Amino acid sequence: MTSAAEQRAPATGRAAAPSTNGARRAPVPGPPVWPGAPTPLGARFRVGPDGVAGTNFALWAAGAQAVRLCLFDADGRETRVPLTELTHEIWHGFVPGVLPGQRYGYRVDGRWDPWTGARWNPAKLLLDPYARAVDGEFTLPAEVYGHVRDWPEQQVADTVRDERDSAPYLPKGVVVHDDDDWSDDRRPKTPWADSVIYELHVRGFTKLHPGIPAELRGTYAGLAHPAAVEHLVKLGVTAVELLPVHQFAHEDHLLRRGLSDYWGYNSVGYFAPHAAYAASGTAGAQVGEFKRMVRALHAAGIEVILDVVYNHTAEAGELGPTLSLKGIDNRAYYRLQDDARRYADYTGCGNTLHVVRPQVLRLITDSLRYWVTEMGVDGFRFDLAAALARSMHDVDMLSPFLAVIAQDPVLRRVKLIAEPWDIGSGGYQVGAFPPLWAEWNDRYRDAVRDFWRHALPDVREMGYRLSGSSDLYAWGGRRPYASVNFVTAHDGFTLRDLVSYERKHNEANGEDNRDGTDDNRSWNCGAEGETADPDVRSLRRRQLRNLLTTLLLSTGVPMLVAGDEFGRTQGGNNNAYCQDNATGWLDWSLLEEPGWRALFALASRLIALRHRHPVLRRRAFFAGRAQAADGLRDLAWFTARGAEMTEGDWYAPAATLGMYLSGRDIPGRDERGAQVVDDSFLAVLHAGAEPTGFVLPGPPWAEGYEVVVDTSREDQSAPPGTAHPAGAELTVPGRSVLLLRVLGGPGTD
């Protein structure tokens, strides 16, 4: 008997496949199709020749031999329409009478030759990469795989073409009428330096919110509801960063375990809002619902930033499903290895989009512009951005992707945030992205975590991170707001879990606790997990106050994770990507507990303090040298003895650090050209377990100090307001932050 590996199929041949168990409707003859136009790509409803309404369809499929448009009625009956016009590798046609709400897909014919990367299979319905809306669930049965998924010899399964029709099982694109000019919308346009970002999950943030009507929970409409917006406004954040809302599919290994992809980092439609987050249905109404959500947030002064996943798609590697790009032109859309059966994987998700290719770059930039101009969003956070910045192999800051973004008149004006790494060689690029870009600063995260668990060998790293990370970003015209500072993100422990667990507890993910990082840099304060010990609970709340206060006083752009401001927990799960349940959702009942309400009050007060004081949100890096004859500097560092730090102090082990911020020496002018002047502050951070004395610097730094924030206090409903003379020794409680306003010094009346 000849094995599949030995009987390599001819380039245009078909290998055997199991028969289908389901009934298959024969397609009906299609309507007339007119030539139409090759642009814009996708399905665009318009009035055609002689005033006839219809839809123009255009699909880039350079290597295809034939393309058929497939239209589906309400009963799932398929009508196939050949697209015979081919212009610059784009197959196109105008179909009269096709109106908004029409469901559709494509079948693309060509060679089946996996050894050269060719994986065309006309038995598989394909989602339009430019579809504005998607109707249906991705359940990933065997029929949606271009190869025979369950072939006995798995090492060659991807070479055996599956002949079963996937149309009954694949979601369909929906024709949408884009007629919104956004004339009634006012973008907040918050300057980078004034921004406070709040990372949230649309479903998880709203699913359990008691103030949102039950039918709207878990949806865009739920996030637009006044009860949701009110929380954001009270907290004081200026932008929400939404975990992926592009249409995504669930991974097969999760579906087999009865789980789903909750986070959504598995995109399949870069123009369509994820249909499952819509309260208004999936036949196109999700587009309008998303727009209304953006308008509601804008009206409250809150920008909308999307977490986008252009580095890979839900089609995975050679053993993954055929949903869209793989069946349109696999060799053009994906990076392949020298053995073209295999995919180059810089993402850990099976494939990597080949962004160097013009059409792939066009897909991404068309998608970005669409979300800005037609969906109203204000910026993007790019997942694994280093993968997008690769040229042929290496990460290249002159890559086509970064060059196109830099010159695009739409995209260069919105907020751009890089997750500056991927898993490939040379993929760690923190501090390397060019001007226009901000970056997630994981070195900030690690330093702050280590300081508060008393694990730093000295305070050099902490000094850089508190003051804007000039060692990473003070080049090429970049500013302190290039650093997006965070202590927690969706990926990893929540803030409460960071002080409650030293080990991950991911058993519910079904991967034997192997998934998720082991490098948590966490400290459980003396007990693993939840405990009734009052001393441990009190210490944990103090550590939460310390972490939040450090984040919101640091120079750069702070990012909070939804729920961290009131003690959300995931039970020690540091990789809750598949937990679409109470583990992943926000528990709003925590706000009924006095201790967690106090934490929220502190976070709100710190954000308000940041908004009021420009010295806390500088637009330029500190000079660190005297600006006037009195010898005062814009930034100064002090030891617990009240003396300025020497070179040796930076290298010595220490648990206490004093940071002086001068409000007199803020570079820049206000909108009327006047010099910006603010109060001056002294922040004292003490990570030691026992109280310590701290001598308050005397003249010329200050004549006295007023305590504004004291994280040792449980009750944060009002500032302490305690004044101390300069030169006095102040007792700093163990594991606490004191923020003191300068009296009688620079920047004061």
Side-chain angles (χ1 to χ4, degrees):
M1 179 175 176
T2 304
S3 71
E6 295 169 326
Q7 58 174 14
R8 171 171 165 168
T12 57
R14 292 172 171 80
S19 61
T20 181
N21 293 325
R24 180 173 173 178
R25 289 191 178 94
V28 299
V33 56
W34 299 346
T39 57
L41 291 169
R44 301 305 290 264
F45 171 75
R46 63 179 175 85
V47 176
D50 302 322
V52 176
T55 299
N56 191 84
F57 295 90
L59 178 73
W60 183 89
Q65 296 172 352
V67 172
R68 283 171 289 175
L69 168 68
C70 306
L71 306 174
F72 295 86
D73 65 16
D75 296 325
R77 185 170 57 178
E78 178 180 351
T79 301
R80 297 181 184 175
V81 181
L83 297 181
T84 57
E85 298 292 327
L86 181 61
T87 305
H88 301 313
E89 302 178 329
I90 297 172
W91 301 77
H92 57 91
F94 178 87
V95 185
V98 170
L99 306 178
Q102 174 67 58
R103 300 188 308 148
Y104 73 101
Y106 291 106
R107 297 180 187 272
V108 181
D109 206 348
R111 294 187 308 120
W112 177 261
D113 188 12
W115 295 267
T116 64
R119 294 182 178 274
W120 284 283
N121 185 344
K124 306 305 169 183
L125 187 73
L126 304 173
L127 184 68
D128 180 4
Y130 281 73
R132 277 8 186 201
V134 175
D135 180 45
E137 282 283 333
F138 288 90
T139 57
L140 303 189
E143 287 83 355
V144 303
Y145 288 73
H147 66 282
V148 181
R149 186 186 68 180
D150 301 320
W151 190 259
E153 299 174 78
Q154 278 293 291
Q155 71 274 17
V156 294
D158 69 289
T159 69
V160 185
R161 190 159 88 170
D162 189 300
E163 301 296 334
R164 291 173 289 186
D165 182 13
S166 69
Y169 311 98
L170 193 84
K172 316 300 190 290
V174 181
V175 176
V176 176
H177 185 27
D178 298 317
D179 60 350
D180 196 332
D181 63 5
W182 288 90
S183 60
D184 59 340
D185 181 68
R186 295 293 179 269
R187 293 179 185 265
K189 297 182 180 179
T190 306
W192 257 123
D194 300 340
S195 297
V196 178
I197 297 174
Y198 188 77
E199 188 192 42
L200 68 80
H201 189 289
V202 169
R203 179 171 168 82
F205 184 80
T206 61
K207 185 64 177 175
L208 300 177
H209 198 300
I212 299 174
E215 66 274 14
L216 302 183
R217 294 175 189 168
T219 70
Y220 306 118
L223 184 53
H225 191 272
V229 176
E230 180 185 20
H231 179 81
L232 301 172
V233 172
K234 283 184 177 179
L235 183 58
V237 298
T238 68
V240 291
E241 183 176 302
L242 307 182
L243 266 67
V245 294
H246 287 164
Q247 183 68 48
F248 61 85
H250 305 294
E251 292 99 322
D252 180 67
H253 70 92
L254 291 176
L255 294 173
R256 291 182 186 224
R257 297 203 300 269
L259 298 170
S260 62
D261 189 321
Y262 172 57
W263 285 349
Y265 289 90
N266 207 37
S267 299
V268 71
Y270 290 129
F271 290 77
H274 188 61
Y277 298 162
S280 53
T282 63
Q286 60 264 49
V287 177
E289 183 176 331
F290 184 93
K291 292 178 179 181
R292 290 189 293 275
M293 176 198 72
V294 173
R295 279 186 168 86
L297 291 166
H298 282 180
I302 298 169
E303 294 184 308
V304 178
I305 298 171
L306 302 188
D307 194 336
V308 290
V309 189
Y310 294 113
N311 54 78
H312 75 280
T313 76
E315 293 184 302
E318 60 270 15
L319 296 177
T322 297
L323 309 174
S324 182
L325 304 180
K326 185 180 287 187
I328 294 171
D329 197 326
N330 182 62
R331 295 180 297 183
Y333 276 108
Y334 294 113
R335 290 179 180 266
L336 304 179
Q337 298 182 25
D338 292 337
D339 173 4
R341 270 182 64 192
R342 315 298 182 191
Y343 292 74
D345 183 9
Y346 297 112
T347 67
C349 300
N351 64 54
T352 307
L353 281 177
H354 205 337
V355 180
V356 173
R357 293 186 178 273
Q359 183 51 40
V360 182
L361 188 58
R362 179 181 178 182
L363 170 68
I364 294 172
T365 54
D366 282 354
S367 167
L368 291 168
R369 282 189 292 268
Y370 171 76
W371 286 95
V372 174
T373 60
E374 298 193 45
M375 301 295 274
V377 306
D378 306 286
F380 305 93
R381 178 266 188 187
F382 292 81
D383 181 65
L384 299 182
L388 300 173
R390 290 183 179 271
S391 290
M392 294 310 296
H393 299 288
D394 296 334
V395 178
D396 178 7
M397 292 305 159
L398 298 176
S399 66
F401 171 75
L402 294 177
V404 166
I405 296 291
Q407 61 78 45
D408 189 282
V410 173
L411 301 180
R412 69 188 182 200
R413 300 176 66 180
V414 302
K415 287 183 167 66
L416 304 170
I417 306 171
E419 183 183 36
W421 52 76
D422 65 21
I423 69 166
S425 176
Y428 186 75
Q429 295 289 323
V430 172
F433 275 72
L436 292 183
W437 287 82
E439 301 176 15
W440 270 25
N441 187 351
D442 67 326
R443 288 184 61 178
Y444 178 93
R445 174 199 64 198
D446 293 349
V448 172
R449 289 185 178 193
D450 282 348
F451 179 82
W452 285 112
R453 67 189 184 109
H454 206 2
L456 284 178
D458 53 52
V459 291
R460 286 176 295 158
E461 185 79 4
M462 194 64 174
Y464 275 121
R465 303 309 145 229
L466 289 171
S467 58
S469 296
S470 60
D471 59 328
L472 300 176
Y473 302 112
W475 64 272
R478 302 186 83 183
R479 300 297 183 93
Y481 45 77
S483 177
V484 175
N485 299 330
F486 67 103
V487 179
T488 57
H490 66 274
D491 189 1
F493 282 149
T494 67
L495 202 66
R496 179 176 170 183
D497 289 354
L498 188 67
V499 300
S500 304
Y501 297 89
E502 293 189 2
R503 302 181 305 278
K504 64 187 181 184
H505 297 266
N506 299 353
E507 290 80 6
N509 295 354
E511 300 176 40
D512 297 323
N513 209 34
R514 296 190 306 270
D515 62 304
T517 183
D518 292 314
D519 183 21
N520 294 296
R521 299 172 187 254
S522 59
W523 177 48
N524 63 19
C525 298
E528 185 72 1
E530 294 303 308
T531 178
D533 187 319
D535 292 334
V536 172
R537 291 163 65 95
S538 177
L539 176 56
R540 287 175 177 175
R541 289 194 296 272
R542 180 179 294 199
Q543 287 290 81
L544 289 177
R545 295 193 293 271
N546 291 334
L547 291 163
L548 274 177
T549 302
T550 304
L551 174 64
L552 292 168
L553 295 182
S554 298
T555 300
V557 178
M559 184 185 78
L560 293 167
V561 178
D564 275 356
E565 72 276 19
F566 57 83
R568 173 180 170 245
T569 177
Q570 292 179 166
N573 191 321
N574 74 353
N575 189 35
Y577 77 105
C578 56
Q579 297 299 317
D580 188 6
N581 49 45
T583 297
W585 304 338
L586 269 65
D587 180 3
W588 292 93
S589 69
L590 291 169
L591 282 170
E592 299 172 8
E593 301 178 24
W596 300 125
R597 281 203 308 273
L599 186 67
F600 175 80
L602 174 63
S604 300
R605 190 158 67 82
L606 287 167
I607 292 173
L609 189 74
R610 186 180 183 90
H611 289 324
R612 286 198 307 272
H613 292 286
V615 73
L616 299 178
R617 44 186 173 82
R618 288 173 55 102
R619 288 164 165 75
F621 286 105
F622 294 97
R625 57 180 178 271
Q627 304 291 309
D630 58 14
L632 291 172
R633 290 181 294 283
D634 56 359
L635 173 68
W637 302 94
F638 291 89
T639 68
R641 303 183 305 275
E644 288 191 67
M645 292 181 66
T646 65
E647 185 75 10
D649 291 327
W650 285 110
Y651 287 84
T656 309
L657 184 63
M659 179 176 67
Y660 183 98
L661 306 172
S662 172
R664 185 189 66 182
D665 301 306
I666 302 174
R669 300 178 182 272
D670 65 18
E671 294 178 351
R672 295 179 174 84
Q675 181 69 38
V676 176
V677 178
D678 192 13
D679 290 334
S680 295
F681 291 93
L682 175 67
V684 180
L685 293 80
H686 176 52
E690 301 301 324
T692 187
F694 190 96
V695 178
L696 298 172
W701 302 101
E703 296 176 5
Y705 297 86
E706 177 187 28
V707 178
V708 177
V709 174
D710 178 357
T711 63
S712 70
R713 300 169 66 245
E714 287 276 1
D715 182 8
Q716 296 290 325
S717 60
T722 307
H724 301 273
E729 184 173 17
L730 180 67
T731 299
V732 182
R735 296 193 178 98
S736 65
V737 180
L738 297 183
L739 180 67
L740 304 102
R741 187 170 69 90
V742 168
L743 303 175
T748 60
D749 296 331

